[in-house]
Amino acid sequence: QDPLIVIDGFPVDNTGIGGSSNPLSSINPNDIETFTVLKDAAATAIYGLRASNGVIIITTTVSYTHLTL
């Protein structure tokens, strides 16, 4: 099983984005600000059962989560 991938706060389905077989291929490596791996109980406690195989959290430099209103 693959880990859950979360990009800029949005869980990405492991079936791919727009026909791509790997959701990570849609990200420019130069745009990655942080890359965090959660394992075991920490991942399951935050993201539930679908994170039982771990979570990869990626925050990009062009993330809209940094904007304030």
Side-chain angles (χ1 to χ4, degrees):
Q1 285 281 9
D2 292 334
L4 175 66
I5 299 172
V6 178
I7 301 174
D8 292 331
F10 297 100
V12 177
D13 191 4
N14 290 340
T15 58
I17 300 172
S20 172
S21 61
N22 184 354
L24 296 178
S25 66
S26 65
I27 300 175
N28 182 347
N30 295 325
D31 290 339
I32 295 176
E33 185 175 308
T34 60
F35 188 92
T36 307
V37 176
L38 297 178
K39 304 186 300 183
D40 304 325
T44 306
I46 296 171
Y47 292 100
L49 185 60
R50 63 185 173 166
S52 61
N53 293 318
V55 179
I56 298 173
I57 302 172
I58 299 171
T59 304
T60 63
T61 56
V62 292
S63 169
Y64 291 104
T65 58
H66 295 303
L67 297 178
T68 57
L69 299 176

